[in-house]
C-alpha cells in the first residue's frame, strides 16, 4: 500500500514561508490567497456530468496513528492516517467525515498526515501537517494546511522540506501544536534534521526556531541508503503547559520531544526564546508522546527503544513533576518484563491523576492497555492471565459492525480473534466524557463509551468507531456481469466480495489469506470462476473460487514464487495464466493443480485474457505486447513502440475478441491511451489523451453501440476520472476538484449492469464508487452559459476553425449528435464558443463535454473548462441529445466567436 517516486531534491533553506493556495471542501477551484501562491491547482471545477461519490464500505483497513480531541468544544475530534488523509468526527452520525479528498494527483503526498492540531481558543480552526515521504518517493515538499471552518476548506503553506506521514516514527507526536493561550502561535517539529519551526501568524508563514539546540539523531536503520529507514526522525512532539500563560499572552513553558535517546526532552520557560535539556530525564529511549496533566502539573512520557510503529522491544513510562523537577519511573511493569515499547498515552481531563497508556508494539499475543487513577503509582491492565494461556479480560470486544476484524482466525490461547489491536500509538480519553475513549490500531479505530466500568470492577465494551474512515490501498478491481457487483484486491487486508456497496462485508477473502492481493480476475462467460493472487510469507500465493468469490480454495504454484504478480482467467474459465514474482509466466488448465512455463514472454510481464476467445491471452512488458492463441502455452511478440517506462495497465473489451485498451507510461517517455482492434498486432494512440494510467469498461449508454469506457487520465490539461460513451471520440470528466483522492492510477472499472457506475481505486481512501445523475444516458446539462455569445446568423469574417457535425442516432421525436471543433489556425484557443442556427424546431436536451444556451433556433455552445484550450491542429468534441418533430437536419453553418468556420 505504498507508493514510490523519484530522487530527492536538495532541501531548501528559508527563513519564512508564504501561504499557498485556498482549497475548498466543496467543488471549487483552488485559488491563491492574497500572498504568493505556493502551488497552482487545476482551473477545472465542474464536470459535464454530475456524479455523486461514496465509498464501497469496508470501514478502516489502515493505520490510524493520531486522534485529537478539541479541549474546549465537546464532540469535536479529528483523526489522521498515514496515507489516507484526515477526518473529523460527526457525533450525530457517529462517523468520520473525510477532509482531504481534494488532494490532487500532482500533490498526492499531501494525503499523508504526520500531525493534526485543533485550536482550543477558536475551535473552528484546525491545522494539518502533510506529506507522505521525506525521501525521493514523494515528489513534493510537505505543507501545513490551515482551516477556519473545521476542515471544510483549506489554505496551505508549503514548507522548504518534506514531511513523512508514512515514514518510520509516524506514530509519535503530535509534532504540530497550537498555543492554547495565544492561538496565532504554532510549533512544528520537523524530520530530517530540519529542527523546530514556528508560526506567529496562525500558520500563514513559518520560520525555523534557530535557538532550538537539537534536531534529533535517531534513524530506524542507518545502513539503509534509500532515505527511508536512514532518515533522522527529528522533532517528534510539542506540548504546552497552559498554566504558564493567559488569554492573549503566549504560553511560556513549552516541552519538546526529540528523537535522540540521550536527549529526548527539552523545555523553554520563556515562550520559545531559549531552550535547554531537562536534567535528570530518562536515557536510552525515545519519548513517543509527551502529555501534560495541567491539573497535577505532571508531564508523562511514553518511551520505546525504537521509533515504531512496527518495532519496539523495550519501553518505560516516566513522570516529570513540573514544579519540583523530579523524575519518577511510573512504568506499569518491570523493564525486564517488557518486550514492547509504550506509545499511546492520555490523561482524563475530568479526573486529575487518571491516565492510560498502550503497549503499541506488543504484537503477540495482543496489544495491552494500561490504566492508572493515581498518577501512575499503580496500574491495572485491560487483560491478565488467569492461568496461562487463558486470559481474563476487563473488556468485551464487539466487532459485529465490522466483522472482518476477526480475520477469519481461530487462534489458540492466549491469542484471541479479534485482537484488541496492534500498532496502538494513539489513545485518547474524551476531555469532556470520562466514559469515552478512542484508540487507533493498524486496521481501525476502536472505542468505548463506558470506560469507567474498568474502575468499578466491571467490564467495558469496545466497538469499532471507524464508520466513514476508509483507508485501504486498492490494487485491482473487478465487476462481473452477474453475482456480486464488486470484487477487490487490496493491500494489507487482502480484498472483499461486495454484494452490497453500502454494507461492510462479513469477511475478507480467506483460504488462502493473503497479506496483500495484487491481482484478480473472473471468467467473462462464467463469472462464478474467480482467481486471485497476492503476497504472503509462504505459499500459497493463489486462490480459486467457483462461486463468484463467496468461497475459496488454495491452488498449487510453480517453484520459486515470491509474490503475487498478475493473473488472468480464460473467458470460459477453462484455464489460467499467471505471471508471479520470482518465477516466469506460467499457464494451467483446470484449477492450478499443475503449472507449465509459458514460452515467448519475459518474466514479470503483465497478463490479461481476451474476454471472448478462451484460448487467447495477452501480455505486456517493456514496450512490447505479446499474444497467445493456445491458452497461454506460447506467446508471440506483436506490437512494439508502446510505453517502455512507468506502470502500464491494459484491458480487453468484454464480448468482442481482440479489442484492447492500454493505458500507462511515464512523463519522461511515451504516456497515454492506446487501442488495438486486431488482438494487439497494432495500436493507435488517442491523440487527445495526454496521460492515462488505468482503463475499464461499464454498461453502454442508452442508444450507444459501444460500452462505456472509464479512465484515470489527464485530458485537456486536467487530471481526473473521465468517461466516454463513444469509444473514445469524446470524454467527460466525471469527478470534480473536491473529489480527487490523490493517486487513482492502480485500477478502474465500470459496472456492466448499471450505466454510469464506476469503481475507482485509491492509495489510502479505499474504493470510490461514482454514480451518474443520468440513469441511462450519456450525460447531463451542467446549466446554460451566462453569455449568449455573438449572433451566429451573419458571421462578419472567417475564423481558423473547422466543424464536423454528425447525427449518430435517430428515433421518433429525437436524435443524438456529435460535434467536433478543430483548430485550423496557428494559435491555440483559450476558451471557445461555437454558434449555429438549427433548421426547423430542433432543441438540445442533454449535452456533455460543454454547456449551451438556446434562444429559439439559435444555439451557443461553450467549452466545459477542461477542454477550452485547443492547440493548433487539435480538436475539442462534445455531444448532445435533441428533440424535433422533423428529421433533425444538420445545421449548414457554424461560427466561432462570431466568425464563420469551415464545415466538413
Amino acid at each position: 500500500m505504498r507508493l514510490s517516486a523519484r530522487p530527492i531534491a536538495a532541501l531548501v533553506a528559508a527563513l519564512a514561508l508564504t501561504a499557498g493556495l485556498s482549497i475548498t471542501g466543496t467543488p471549487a477551484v483552488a485559488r491563491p490567497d492574497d500572498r504568493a501562491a505556493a502551488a497552482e491547482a487545476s482551473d477545472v471545477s465542474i464536470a459535464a456530468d454530475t456524479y455523486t461519490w461514496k465509498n464501497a464500505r469496508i470501514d478502516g483497513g489502515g493505520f490510524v496513528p493520531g486522534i485529537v480531541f478539541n479541549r474546549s468544544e465537546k464532540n469535536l475530534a479529528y483523526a489522521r492516517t498515514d496515507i489516507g488523509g484526515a477526518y473529523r468526527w460527526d457525533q450525530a452520525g457517529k462517523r468520520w467525515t473525510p477532509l482531504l479528498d481534494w488532494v490532487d494527483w500532482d500533490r498526492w503526498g499531501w494525503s499523508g498526515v504526520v500531525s493534526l492540531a485543533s485550536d482550543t481558543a477558536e475551535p473552528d480552526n484546525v491545522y494539518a501537517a502533510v506529506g507522505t515521504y521525506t525521501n525521493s518517493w514523494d515528489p513534493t515538499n510537505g505543507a501545513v494546511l490551515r482551516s477556519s471552518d473545521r476542515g471544510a476548506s483549506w489554505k496551505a503553506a508549503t514548507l522548504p522540506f518534506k514531511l513523512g506521514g508514512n515514514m518510520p516514527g509516524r506514530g509519535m507526536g503530535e509534532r504540530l501544536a497550537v498555543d492554547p493561550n495565544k492561538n496565532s502561535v504554532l510549533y512544528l517539529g520537523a524530520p530530517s534534521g530540519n529542527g523546530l519551526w514556528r508560526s506567529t501568524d496562525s500558520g500563514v508563514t513559518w520560520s525555523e526556531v534557530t535557538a532550538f539546540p537539537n534536531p534529533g539523531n535517531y534513524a530506524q536503520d542507518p545502513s539503509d541508503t534509500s532515505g527511508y529507514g536512514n532518515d533522522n526522525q527529528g522533532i517528534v512532539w510539542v506540548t504546552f503547559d497552559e498554566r504558564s500563560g493567559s488569554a492573549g499572552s503566549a504560553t511560556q513553558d513549552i516541552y519538546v520531544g526529540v528523537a535522540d535517546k540521550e536527549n529526548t526532552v527539552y523545555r523553554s520557560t520563556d515562550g520559545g526564546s531559549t531552550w535547554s535539556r531537562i536534567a535528570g530525564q530518562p536515557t536510552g529511549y525515545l519519548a513517543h508522546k509527551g502529555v501534560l496533566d495541567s491539573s497535577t502539573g505532571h508531564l508523562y512520557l511514553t518511551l520505546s527503544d525504537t521509533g515504531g510503529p512496527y518495532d519496539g522491544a523495550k519501553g518505560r513510562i516516566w513522570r516529570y513533576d513540573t514544579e519540583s523537577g523530579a523524575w519518577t519511573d511510573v512504568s506499569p511493569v518491570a523493564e525486564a518484563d517488557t518486550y514492547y515499547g509504550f506509545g499511546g498515552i492520555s490523561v482524563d481531563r475530568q479526573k486529575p491523576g487518571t491516565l492510560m497508556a498502550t503497549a503499541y508494539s506488543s504484537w503477540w499475543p495482543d496489544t495491552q492497555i494500561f490504566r492508572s487513577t493515581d498518577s501512575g503509582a499503580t496500574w491495572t491492565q485491560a487483560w491478565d492471565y488467569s492461568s496461562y494461556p487463558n486470559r481474563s479480560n476487563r473488556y468485551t470486544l464487539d466487532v459485529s459492525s465490522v466483522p472482518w476484524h476477526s480475520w477469519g482466525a481461530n487462534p489458540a490461547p492466549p491469542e484471541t480473534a479479534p485482537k484488541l489491536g496492534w500498532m496502538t500509538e494513539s489513545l485518547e480519553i474524551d476531555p469532556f466524557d470520562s466514559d469515552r475513549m478512542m484508540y487507533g490500531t493498524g486496521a481501525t479505530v476502536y472505542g468505548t463509551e463506558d470506560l469507567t466500568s474498568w474502575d468499578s470492577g466491571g467490564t467495558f465494551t469496545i466497538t469499532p468507531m471507524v464508520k466513514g474512515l476508509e483507508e485501504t490501498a486498492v490494487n485491482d478491481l473487478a465487476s462481473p456481469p452477474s453475482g456480486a457487483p464488486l470484487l477487490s484486491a487490496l493491500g494489507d487486508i487482502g480484498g472483499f466480495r461486495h454484494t452490497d456497496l453500502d454494507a461492510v462485508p462479513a469477511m475478507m477473502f480467506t483460504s488462502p489469506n493473503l497479506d496483500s492481493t495484487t491481482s484478480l480476475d473472473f471468467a467473462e462467460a462464467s463469472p462464478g470462476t474467480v482467481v486471485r493472487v497476492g503476497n504472503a510469507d509462504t505459499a500459497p500465493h493463489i486462490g480459486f473460487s467457483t462461486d463468484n468469490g463467496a468461497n475459496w480454495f488454495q491452488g498449487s504454484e510453480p517453484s520459486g514464487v515470491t509474490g503475487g504478480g498478475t493473473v488472468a482467467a480464460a473467458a470460459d474459465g477453462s484455464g489460467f495464466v499467471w505471471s508471479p514474482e520470482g518465477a516466469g509466466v506460467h499457464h494451467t488448465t483446470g484449477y492450478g493443480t499443475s503449472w507449465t512455463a509459458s514460452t515467448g514472454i519475459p518474466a514479470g510481464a503483465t497478463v490479461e485474457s481476451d474476454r471472448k476467445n478462451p484460448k487467447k491471452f495477452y501480455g505486456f512488458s517493456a514496450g512490447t505486447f505479446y499474444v497467445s492463441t493456445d491458452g497461454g502455452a506460447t506467446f508471440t511478440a506483436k506490437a512494439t513502440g508502446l510505453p517502455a517506462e512507468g506502470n502500464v495497465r491494459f484491458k480487453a473489451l468484454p464480448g468482442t475478441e481482440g479489442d484492447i485498451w492500454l493505458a500507462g507510461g511515464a512523463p519522461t517517455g511515451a504516456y497515454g491511451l492506446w487501442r488495438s482492434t486486431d488482438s494487439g498486432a497494432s495500436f493507435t494512440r488517442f491523440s487527445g489523451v495526454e496521460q492515462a494510467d488505468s482503463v475499464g469498461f461499464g454498461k453502454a449508454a442508452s442508444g450507444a453501440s459501444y460500452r462505456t469506457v472509464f479512465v484515470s487520465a489527464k485530458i485537456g490539461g486536467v487530471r481526473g476520472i473521465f468517461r466516454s460513451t463513444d469509444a473514445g471520440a469524446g470524454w467527460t470528466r466525471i469527478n470534480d476538484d473536491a473529489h480527487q483522492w490523490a493517486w487513482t492510477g492502480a485500477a478502474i472499472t465500470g459496472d456492466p449492469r448499471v450505466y454510469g457506475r464506476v469503481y475507482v481505486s485509491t492509495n489510502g481512501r479505499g474504493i470510490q464508487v461514482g454514480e451518474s445523475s443520468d440513469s441511462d444516458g450519456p450525460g447531463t446539462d451542467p446549466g446554460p452559459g451566462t453569455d449568449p455569445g455573438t449572433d451566429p446568423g451573419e458571421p462578419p469574417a472567417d475564423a481558423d476553425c473547422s466543424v464536423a457535425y454528425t447525427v449518430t442516432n435517430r428515433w421518433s421525436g429525437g436524435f443524438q449528435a456529435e460535434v467536433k471543433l478543430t483548430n485550423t489556425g496557428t494559435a491555440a484557443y483559450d476558451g471557445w464558443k461555437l454558434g449555429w442556427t438549427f433548421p426547423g424546431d430542433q432543441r438540445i436536451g442533454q449535452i456533455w463535454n460543454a454547456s449551451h444556451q438556446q434562444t429559439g433556433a439559435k444555439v451557443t455552445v461553450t467549452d466545459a473548462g477542461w477542454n477550452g484550450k485547443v492547440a493548433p491542429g487539435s480538436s475539442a468534441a462534445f455531444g448532445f441529445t435533441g428533440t424535433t418533430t422533423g428529421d433533425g437536419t444538420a445545421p449548414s453553418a457554424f461560427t466561432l466567436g462570431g466568425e464563420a468556420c469551415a464545415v466538413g
Side-chain angles (χ1 to χ4, degrees):
M1 60 186 289
R2 311 299 179 217
L3 289 170
S4 59
R6 295 182 292 276
I8 192 168
L11 295 175
V12 181
L15 293 178
L17 301 166
T18 57
L21 51 133
S22 170
I23 305 162
T24 67
T26 54
V29 179
R31 301 177 300 274
D33 61 14
D34 56 344
R35 298 175 180 269
E40 292 297 332
S42 162
D43 63 355
V44 174
S45 61
I46 64 168
D49 189 11
T50 302
Y51 263 61
T52 57
W53 294 94
K54 65 181 180 181
N55 277 101
R57 279 191 66 189
I58 293 169
D59 286 16
F63 181 34
V64 181
I67 298 169
V68 175
F69 278 90
N70 186 279
R71 287 176 55 191
S72 63
E73 182 175 317
K74 189 175 182 179
N75 294 324
L76 180 57
Y78 297 89
R80 64 178 172 96
T81 70
D82 51 4
I83 62 171
Y87 294 80
R88 182 183 63 247
W89 179 251
D90 171 20
Q91 177 64 19
K94 292 197 172 181
R95 61 179 297 140
W96 296 95
T97 300
L99 303 178
L100 299 184
D101 282 357
W102 52 263
V103 173
D104 59 25
W105 179 278
D106 292 333
R107 287 174 303 218
W108 59 261
W110 287 10
S111 62
V113 185
V114 72
S115 191
L116 279 172
S118 181
D119 189 343
T120 300
E122 296 183 66
D124 284 345
N125 295 339
V126 63
Y127 300 86
V130 298
T132 300
Y133 298 104
T134 60
N135 64 354
S136 62
W137 300 345
D138 192 334
T140 55
N141 280 352
V144 177
L145 308 179
R146 63 191 188 275
S147 172
S148 59
D149 52 14
R150 308 181 184 219
S153 63
W154 298 88
K155 294 183 179 180
T158 304
L159 299 164
F161 49 82
K162 297 183 179 184
L163 295 177
N166 198 36
M167 293 291 288
R170 59 192 179 274
M172 297 193 281
E174 293 291 322
R175 296 173 181 258
L176 183 64
V178 184
D179 189 325
N181 291 302
K182 189 174 183 179
N183 67 341
S184 59
V185 175
L186 295 91
Y187 283 85
L188 171 68
S192 312
N194 289 300
L196 182 66
W197 288 67
R198 177 170 53 208
S199 172
T200 59
D201 55 7
S202 301
V204 177
T205 61
W206 291 83
S207 60
E208 186 176 2
V209 181
T210 55
F212 193 81
N214 187 353
N217 61 17
Y218 175 80
Q220 180 192 63
D221 181 6
S223 66
D224 179 17
T225 59
S226 71
Y228 185 77
N230 61 335
D231 185 55
N232 175 5
Q233 294 180 16
I235 313 297
V236 296
W237 52 263
V238 179
T239 295
F240 292 93
D241 186 347
E242 61 262 36
R243 302 171 304 167
S244 62
S246 57
S249 177
T251 301
Q252 296 301 295
D253 293 354
I254 312 167
Y255 297 86
V256 171
V258 180
D260 178 343
K261 290 187 177 183
E262 301 306 310
N263 311 278
T264 196
V265 188
Y266 287 79
R267 178 176 61 183
S268 174
T269 58
D270 54 11
S273 296
T274 61
W275 301 83
S276 61
R277 177 187 185 274
I278 302 179
Q281 66 181 263
T283 58
Y285 289 98
L286 303 174
H288 277 222
K289 298 274 198 284
V291 175
L292 194 141
D293 186 343
S294 58
S295 297
T296 62
H298 291 150
L299 173 71
Y300 295 95
L301 305 183
T302 47
L303 300 119
S304 175
D305 58 348
T306 70
Y310 307 106
D311 54 354
K314 290 292 178 181
R316 311 304 293 148
I317 301 176
W318 280 72
R319 184 184 71 208
Y320 176 66
D321 189 322
T322 59
E323 299 300 326
S324 69
W327 285 97
T328 305
D329 185 343
V330 294
S331 303
V333 295
E335 184 176 30
D337 293 333
T338 63
Y339 53 91
Y340 47 77
F342 292 96
I345 189 167
S346 180
V347 298
D348 188 336
R349 304 293 175 181
Q350 300 294 316
K351 294 184 175 183
T354 295
L355 65 151
M356 298 179 70
T358 66
Y360 78 90
S361 55
S362 178
W363 288 81
W364 190 94
D366 207 343
T367 198
Q368 185 62 275
I369 301 175
F370 303 90
R371 182 172 172 88
S372 173
T373 58
D374 53 12
S375 299
T378 61
W379 298 83
T380 51
Q381 300 181 164
W383 60 271
D384 297 280
Y385 287 114
S386 52
S387 59
Y388 187 86
N390 298 312
R391 285 166 47 168
S392 173
N393 298 334
R394 294 180 182 271
Y395 65 89
T396 58
L397 182 52
D398 177 5
V399 298
S400 56
S401 63
V402 190
W404 62 262
H405 280 173
S406 71
W407 249 259
N410 186 26
E415 282 192 282
T416 63
K419 282 191 171 186
L420 192 58
W422 58 90
M423 296 167 61
T424 49
E425 286 267 37
S426 59
L427 179 148
E428 294 295 329
I429 302 170
D430 187 332
F432 294 91
D433 184 355
S434 297
D435 268 320
R436 181 160 69 170
M437 175 269 290
M438 295 182 184
Y439 67 97
T441 79
T444 192
V445 176
Y446 279 137
T448 181
E449 294 183 329
D450 58 357
L451 178 61
T452 57
S453 296
W454 182 320
D455 303 326
S456 61
T459 59
F460 62 99
T461 301
I462 296 174
T463 60
M465 292 186 177
V466 72
K467 184 178 181 181
L469 195 157
E470 298 285 349
E471 201 190 345
T472 49
V474 185
N475 295 324
D476 202 2
L477 296 168
S479 184
S482 62
L486 180 63
L487 307 173
S488 59
L490 305 178
D492 293 345
I493 59 172
F496 292 91
R497 178 180 189 258
H498 269 89
T499 57
D500 181 347
L501 301 174
D502 297 314
V504 178
M507 193 56 57
M508 70 274 287
F509 298 141
T510 59
S511 300
N513 289 69
L514 301 175
D515 298 336
S516 293
T517 302
T518 57
S519 175
L520 81 168
D521 195 17
F522 63 90
E524 189 68 41
S526 180
T529 301
V530 188
V531 61
R532 59 184 168 94
V533 295
N535 301 330
D537 292 336
T538 58
H541 295 85
I542 187 168
F544 296 94
S545 173
T546 58
D547 57 6
N548 192 240
N551 297 281
W552 295 85
F553 56 93
Q554 300 175 359
S556 66
E557 59 188 52
S559 62
V561 172
T562 59
T566 57
V567 70
D572 62 357
S574 59
F576 304 88
V577 172
W578 185 14
S579 178
E581 294 179 19
V585 178
H586 284 69
H587 67 99
T588 186
T589 55
Y591 294 102
T593 56
S594 177
W595 293 90
T596 304
S598 303
T599 61
I601 186 170
T606 300
V607 295
E608 296 282 356
S609 65
D610 190 86
R611 310 310 286 181
K612 187 174 183 180
N613 184 340
K615 292 295 185 181
K616 189 171 287 188
F617 288 84
Y618 306 112
F620 177 87
S621 178
T624 299
F625 201 81
Y626 298 84
V627 180
S628 171
T629 57
D630 56 7
T634 60
F635 282 83
T636 302
K638 295 292 185 178
T640 59
L642 295 167
E645 301 177 78
N647 294 317
V648 174
R649 297 163 179 85
F650 65 94
K651 293 289 183 183
L653 185 75
T656 303
E657 183 175 348
D659 193 339
I660 305 157
W661 293 62
L662 183 146
T668 55
Y671 198 177
L673 182 67
W674 287 258
R675 182 187 176 193
S676 172
T677 56
D678 55 11
S679 297
S682 62
F683 280 84
T684 300
R685 181 172 181 172
F686 287 87
S687 60
V689 180
E690 299 153 57
Q691 300 175 0
D693 291 85
S694 58
V695 60
F697 308 102
K699 183 180 179 181
S702 178
S705 59
Y706 199 85
R707 288 180 183 253
T708 301
V709 183
F710 296 96
V711 292
S712 174
K714 184 177 183 180
I715 300 175
V718 176
R719 260 284 171 186
I721 307 301
F722 291 85
R723 184 192 71 193
S724 176
T725 59
D726 54 10
W731 297 96
T732 299
R733 186 189 182 203
I734 58 174
N735 70 319
D736 53 52
D737 288 353
H739 300 91
Q740 301 192 76
W741 316 290
W743 191 77
T744 57
I748 192 170
T749 184
D751 191 310
R753 289 170 275 185
V754 181
Y755 169 74
R757 179 182 290 170
V758 62
Y759 306 105
V760 179
S761 70
T762 73
N763 190 63
R765 273 289 287 125
I767 305 166
Q768 297 294 330
V769 182
E771 302 278 8
S772 174
S773 60
D774 181 4
S775 61
D776 196 17
T780 58
D781 183 358
T786 58
D787 183 352
T790 304
D791 183 338
E794 296 293 333
D798 292 332
D800 294 325
C801 54
S802 175
V803 176
Y805 182 105
T806 306
V807 176
T808 59
N809 198 6
R810 300 180 191 272
W811 57 89
S812 177
F815 64 100
Q816 180 174 319
E818 301 286 346
V819 183
K820 180 179 179 181
L821 170 65
T822 301
N823 184 345
T824 59
T826 58
Y829 301 161
D830 188 9
W832 49 265
K833 288 185 179 181
L834 187 68
W836 69 80
T837 299
F838 271 131
D841 62 351
Q842 301 176 58
R843 293 198 63 84
I844 293 178
Q846 295 179 329
I847 193 168
W848 51 97
N849 293 346
S851 60
H852 81 288
Q853 185 170 8
Q854 182 171 356
T855 303
K858 294 182 179 181
V859 176
T860 300
V861 176
T862 305
D863 64 84
W866 62 266
N867 59 357
K869 296 182 183 297
V870 184
S874 297
S875 302
F878 60 93
F880 60 90
T881 58
T883 60
T884 182
T885 58
D887 58 2
T889 303
S892 59
F894 299 86
T895 61
L896 183 68
E899 298 182 359
C901 291
V903 179

